Amino acid sequence: MRLHLVDATYELFRAHFAPRPPVLGRDGIPLSGVSGLCDQLLFLLREQGATHVGCATDRVIESLRNDLYPGYKSSAGMPPELLAQFPIAEAAIAALGLALWPMVEYEADDAIAAAAVRFGEDPRVEKILICTPDKDMAQLVRDDRIVLWDRRRDVTYDDAGVREKWGVAPTSIPDWLGLVGDSSDGFPGLPGWGAKSAAAVLLRYGHFEDIPPKASAWEVPGIGGSRAMSLAATLRDHWDEALLYRDLARLRTTEDGVQIRQTDVDELRWDGAPRAEWEAFCEEWGLDRLRSRPHRWLAEDASN
């Protein structure tokens, strides 16, 4: 079997900001994000044949990382019409009969990480496809068994793909982000360290702790002399910040306390949408165009 892990928050954002006519629900409430999320999930189930699916959401934007670093991404400045769609998106996922992991203390990325680790060693699972282009998630890639799938561009990143795209092994992605920063998550990285220099150094040494503190000991093709000295000095002088930024980028799993209810991969099997729940959801929010979209209903609802 193939297991699809969906970053539903990403899909909600992408649909909300997509350059297309807005979708309005009952009483004129903006539902472009929810409608687009539903379209993507239904396409995944119907046209792309997904059978085992888990969806993760950020019930709130803030997480434990905001306690670690005040500048970390937050809901400040976000459009209120988008924030208002978060609980509706979760209701849509549940009404479709899909497994839902709503995160409060942790993030949707952490729930996906926990699921990837939990089910990654199951011999029944042929492949895990993490449905997002988010570079943070590249740290979860393992060979060609756990991969990132950018569905919008239909590009898949396995181990070789991660190395080609970001220049480092998947396990080095948190270190790489610690050096270069991540503007979407709100932390800056270290001054003077760019994507190429960070990739070159980490491709050779893997993690911060393995980088020689003195540049004279570096064996990094293309980086030497004063450039290496400057980078080494910056890493020494900003060591605590580098560790903090790497920790922000590191995904949490069940070992860190992330809770996902399902313990057996078959609990993620999609057997169809419960007709009554789905039709009630569409009726409540005025999304009549979605009412008949599920191609399969739960067996107990098939005759209704």
Side-chain angles (χ1 to χ4, degrees), residues 141 143 156-168:
V141 169
D143 303 317
T156 300
Y157 298 99
D158 57 9
D159 183 277
V162 170
R163 293 171 186 266
E164 180 179 357
K165 174 71 173 177
W166 291 285
V168 296

Side-chain angles (χ1 to χ4, degrees), residues 97-138:
L98 292 167
L100 171 64
W101 303 312
M103 293 290 106
V104 176
E105 180 183 0
Y106 299 95
E107 297 181 41
D109 290 0
D110 298 315
I112 290 174
V117 170
R118 172 168 290 179
F119 303 117
E121 299 302 321
D122 192 319
R124 295 170 294 172
V125 178
E126 171 195 352
K127 187 182 291 288
I128 296 178
L129 296 103
I130 299 171
C131 302
T132 177
D134 190 346
K135 57 184 175 293
D136 298 19
M137 306 296 276

Side-chain angles (χ1 to χ4, degrees), residues 62-69 104-107 110 252:
E62 286 75 15
S63 69
L64 61 85
R65 291 174 177 85
N66 295 88
D67 296 329
L68 298 174
Y69 182 67
V104 176
E105 180 183 0
Y106 299 95
E107 297 181 41
D110 298 315
R252 273 55 172 179

Side-chain angles (χ1 to χ4, degrees), residues 65-241:
R65 291 174 177 85
N66 295 88
D67 296 329
L68 298 174
Y69 182 67
Y72 196 73
K73 67 181 179 183
S74 73
S75 58
M78 284 184 56
E81 65 271 17
L82 173 56
L83 288 172
Q85 293 180 68
F86 278 43
I88 307 171
E90 291 182 358
I93 295 168
L96 272 174
L98 292 167
L100 171 64
W101 303 312
M103 293 290 106
V104 176
E105 180 183 0
Y106 299 95
E107 297 181 41
D109 290 0
D110 298 315
I112 290 174
V117 170
R118 172 168 290 179
F119 303 117
E121 299 302 321
D122 192 319
R124 295 170 294 172
V125 178
E126 171 195 352
K127 187 182 291 288
I128 296 178
L129 296 103
I130 299 171
C131 302
T132 177
D134 190 346
K135 57 184 175 293
D136 298 19
M137 306 296 276
Q139 63 190 272
L140 299 175
V141 169
R142 296 294 179 268
D143 303 317
D144 62 352
R145 178 175 173 79
I146 303 177
V147 300
L148 290 192
W149 183 22
D150 181 345
R151 295 176 62 214
R152 183 174 63 85
R153 297 188 298 138
D154 194 22
V155 175
T156 300
Y157 298 99
D158 57 9
D159 183 277
V162 170
R163 293 171 186 266
E164 180 179 357
K165 174 71 173 177
W166 291 285
V168 296
T171 52
S172 295
I173 288 290
D175 298 81
W176 184 80
L177 289 170
L179 294 175
V180 306
D182 190 339
S183 59
S184 63
D185 283 341
F187 60 90
L190 303 192
W193 281 87
K196 291 184 178 179
S197 58
V201 174
L202 291 171
L203 186 62
R204 171 64 179 85
Y205 295 112
H207 303 289
F208 295 160
E209 293 82 357
D210 300 318
I211 301 173
K214 293 185 177 181
S216 58
W218 283 18
E219 299 176 352
V220 182
I223 298 182
S226 61
R227 178 63 174 151
M229 292 175 63
S230 175
L231 293 174
T234 297
L235 182 57
R236 289 196 303 271
D237 294 343
H238 297 268
W239 181 255
D240 289 342
E241 292 132 283

